[in-house]
Amino acid sequence: MSDQANLKGDNTDTNPFGTDNWCIVEIMGHVRVAGQCSEQNIAGTAMLRVDVPETQHQPAFTRFYGGSSIYSILPVQEPVARAMAVKLKQQPVASWDISEMVEKLQKQRQLSIEQDNG
């Protein structure tokens, strides 16, 4: 298979990252994530898939990144990526985001009830 086919996200042959690639990925130069990397085609676009391993503080999760948002990819050995996943403390969804959304929805509901009552 040609390199061009892989760049288009056709994963019918070899993954350009190989079979066991652990990486530290910098996104826009500001966010780092560590895990096992592969390329996956989503909606006709090749995306970087990072499977972040489970740590003592977080469940395992997967994130997808578009090529234009990637600042750098540093291939490392699995123990290094796992150690960085612990250090980086990435979360699949920040709990404060969910709490904030629930609180906002509750306030909106309360305002709606108060307006309906009077």
Side-chain angles (χ1 to χ4, degrees), residues 74-107:
L74 175 64
V76 295
Q77 293 180 346
E78 180 178 351
V80 174
R82 287 185 179 277
M84 283 302 292
V86 171
K87 181 179 177 183
L88 294 171
K89 298 179 183 173
Q90 288 285 302
Q91 296 291 319
V93 176
S95 58
W96 63 267
D97 286 340
I98 294 172
S99 297
E100 186 177 302
M101 283 190 307
V102 168
E103 186 177 314
K104 187 175 182 178
L105 288 171
Q106 287 173 337
K107 285 180 182 179

Side-chain angles (χ1 to χ4, degrees), residues 25-105:
V25 181
E26 287 186 83
I27 308 302
M28 298 285 198
H30 301 287
V31 175
R32 291 189 299 169
V33 63
Q36 193 168 19
C37 295
S38 60
E39 183 180 33
Q40 187 168 339
N41 185 1
I42 297 179
T45 302
M47 307 265 307
L48 176 67
R49 175 181 174 153
V50 181
D51 294 312
V52 178
E54 179 180 12
T55 70
Q56 301 164 341
H57 307 289
Q58 74 190 23
F61 64 94
T62 299
R63 288 222 173 120
F64 295 92
Y65 300 99
S68 62
S69 67
I70 299 169
Y71 181 72
S72 71
I73 299 173
L74 175 64
V76 295
Q77 293 180 346
E78 180 178 351
V80 174
R82 287 185 179 277
M84 283 302 292
V86 171
K87 181 179 177 183
L88 294 171
K89 298 179 183 173
Q90 288 285 302
Q91 296 291 319
V93 176
S95 58
W96 63 267
D97 286 340
I98 294 172
S99 297
E100 186 177 302
M101 283 190 307
V102 168
E103 186 177 314
K104 187 175 182 178
L105 288 171

